[in-house]
């Protein structure tokens, strides 16, 4: 009887160690994302979409591997992993693949990998370690800001010069979010905000290309650029409007089917989704993303230590900023930046990075202090 009871006990422990809230949310988002990619690709599951499925599968295995590890291992390897990420970014200008006038990818056989996406996860780990190692119960002052500021500034500069402004923006916002939640004094917080504005001005003057600056003009008045840069913004808004309350149905969105909407599988998959699923469907998927972010914050509040809490905050901010900026871009609330919506946008490196983030949340969840 004892031998029969052990497997059941082991299975129960495994079952109880799984964060089923995370599993359910991610499974729902991935399912809707694949349905939407099928629509954006007009039913062609070969080529890009098939490759995306492989990346999501690889990301799932990576998330499981990370989830079974004790997240405190990441504390020990955080700085080494960060340096490894910098080395990959440094290799891009030398060995990288050129696509669309940008050198952002390293090629491994049939696959191309974007180190800047992985760097977002490694940056979260490094910042979490630095901040968690600072003395507790002590307000963080200006001298505490210098190392983490340099820590995220170095990879951001390497990323922006590829050029990859969108990933540089996300990396900056994630780092700023983590730093803003670390008991900063008012003076230090204002200095951090000023530095962020200064970085934007520096990037605007020296790192941004002419076509990137023109996106601000297009955002303010897309109709004036309707025949060129403003075309995709206008078509995305038409697609969202066509969706109405209940949508036109899966595969029935005219903007996508009739090829009016460019980049429907990369920059504007939310426009494809909103036209087919309408307001109800759009609200549903945004609610799922919001629940994912809020659950990550909940995990941070229950984490055993500050390092685990900061990891959760970093991953939550990564998802939050990706979704907020991409949806804002589609709804013309923000300029077009090329920032993707997690798992919905075509892009294997981004899908892998997001699933690694989910794995980190699962690892922290397994070790959290449960009520």
């Amino acid at each position: 009887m004892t031998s029969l009871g052990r497997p059941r006990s082991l299975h129960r422990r495994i079952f109880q160690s799984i964060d089923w809230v995370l599993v359910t949310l991610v499974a729902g988002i991935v399912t809707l994302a694949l349905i939407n990619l099928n629509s954006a690709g007009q039913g062609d599951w070969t080529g890009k979409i098939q490759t995306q499925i492989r990346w999501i599968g690889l990301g799932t295995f990576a998330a499981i591997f990370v989830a079974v590890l004790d997240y405190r291992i990441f504390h020990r390897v955080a700085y080494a992993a960060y340096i490894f990420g910098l080395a990959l970014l440094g290799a891009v200008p030398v060995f990288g693949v050129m696509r669309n006038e940008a050198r952002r990818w390293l090629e491994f056989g049939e696959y191309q990998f974007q180190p800047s996406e992985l760097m977002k996860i490694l940056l979260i780990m490094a910042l979490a370690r630095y901040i968690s190692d600072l003395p507790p119960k002590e307000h963080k002052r200006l001298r505490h800001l210098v190392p983490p500021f340099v820590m995220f500034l170095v990879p951001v500069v390497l990323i922006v010069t590829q050029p990859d402004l969108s990933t540089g923006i996300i990396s900056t916002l994630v780092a700023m979010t983590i730093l803003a939640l670390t008991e900063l004094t008012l003076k230090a917080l204002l200095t951090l905000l000023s530095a962020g504005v200064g970085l934007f001005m520096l990037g605007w003057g020296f790192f941004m290309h002419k076509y990137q600056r023109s996106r601000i003009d297009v955002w303010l008045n897309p109709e004036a650029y309707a025949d060129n840069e403003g075309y995709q913004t206008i078509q995305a808004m038409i697609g969202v409007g066509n969706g109405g309350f209940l949508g036109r149905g899966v595969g029935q969105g005219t903007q996508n089917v009739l090829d009016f909407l460019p980049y429907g599988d990369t920059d504007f998959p939310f426009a494809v989704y909103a036209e087919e699923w309408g307001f109800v469907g759009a609200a549903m998927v945004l609610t799922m993303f919001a629940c994912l972010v809020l659950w990550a914050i909940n995990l941070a509040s229950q984490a055993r230590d500050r390092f685990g809490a900061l990891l959760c905050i970093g991953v939550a901010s990564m998802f939050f900023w990706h979704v907020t900026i991409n949806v804002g871009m589609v709804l013309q609330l923000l300029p077009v930046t090329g920032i993707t919506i997690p798992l919905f946008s075509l892009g294997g490196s981004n899908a892998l990075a997001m699933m690694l983030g989910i794995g980190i949340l699962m690892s922290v969840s397994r070790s959290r202090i449960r009520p």
Side-chain angles (χ1 to χ4, degrees), residues 82 86 89 119 148-160:
Y82 171 82
L86 289 182
L89 288 178
M119 193 67 221
F149 194 81
V150 173
M151 197 178 292
F152 86 80
L153 185 61
V154 172
V156 165
V157 170
L158 291 174
I159 291 169
V160 171

Side-chain angles (χ1 to χ4, degrees), residues 113-336:
F113 176 70
Q114 199 169 344
S116 58
E117 294 291 346
L118 177 63
M119 193 67 221
K120 290 184 291 192
I121 298 294
L122 303 183
L123 179 60
I124 290 171
M125 290 169 51
L127 289 174
R129 171 167 178 175
Y130 173 80
I131 295 171
S132 65
D133 287 345
L134 291 176
K137 299 180 181 179
E138 176 182 318
H139 288 294
K140 311 305 181 288
R141 303 184 184 278
L142 289 177
R143 67 178 182 274
H144 297 128
L145 285 178
V146 176
F149 194 81
V150 173
M151 197 178 292
F152 86 80
L153 185 61
V154 172
V156 165
V157 170
L158 291 174
I159 291 169
V160 171
T161 54
Q162 290 179 356
D164 187 1
L165 179 63
S166 58
T167 306
I169 290 173
I170 288 292
S171 299
T172 300
L173 290 172
V174 169
M176 291 288 188
T177 301
I178 295 174
L179 293 176
L181 298 176
T182 55
E183 299 178 353
L184 293 173
T185 62
L186 179 60
K187 181 179 180 181
L189 182 59
L190 292 176
T191 302
L192 182 65
L193 294 175
S194 300
V197 174
L199 273 178
F200 176 79
M201 298 301 294
L202 183 66
W204 181 274
F206 296 98
F207 292 103
M208 292 182 69
H209 295 257
K210 183 178 179 180
Y211 75 90
Q212 292 171 332
R213 296 192 189 98
S214 68
R215 290 176 176 176
I216 303 296
D217 297 326
V218 174
W219 168 52
L220 295 174
N221 188 14
E223 287 77 13
Y225 303 86
D227 294 332
N228 39 64
E229 292 96 335
Y231 177 80
Q232 57 190 10
T233 301
I234 293 173
Q235 297 303 320
M237 286 293 294
I238 292 174
V240 173
N242 284 347
F245 190 69
L246 295 176
R248 289 177 171 266
V250 176
Q252 303 300 315
T254 55
Q255 294 299 101
N256 176 62
V257 173
L258 300 179
D259 288 327
F260 288 127
L261 177 65
Y263 306 110
D265 55 358
T266 53
D267 292 349
F268 294 96
F270 185 75
V272 176
Y273 180 85
E275 183 175 17
E276 294 186 355
W277 294 72
F279 173 81
V280 173
M284 176 180 65
V285 76
L286 291 179
T287 299
M288 294 172 71
F289 275 118
C291 289
L292 178 61
V293 171
L294 292 174
W295 188 250
I297 295 173
N298 175 64
L299 293 178
S301 69
Q302 298 181 33
R304 289 185 174 274
D305 51 35
R306 287 198 297 170
F307 179 70
L310 289 168
L311 285 178
C312 292
I313 292 297
V315 174
S317 66
M318 182 175 66
F319 274 91
F320 173 82
W321 288 117
H322 264 280
V323 174
T324 299
I325 295 178
N326 182 273
V327 174
M329 176 183 76
V330 171
L331 299 180
Q332 204 184 328
L333 300 175
L334 294 170
V336 175

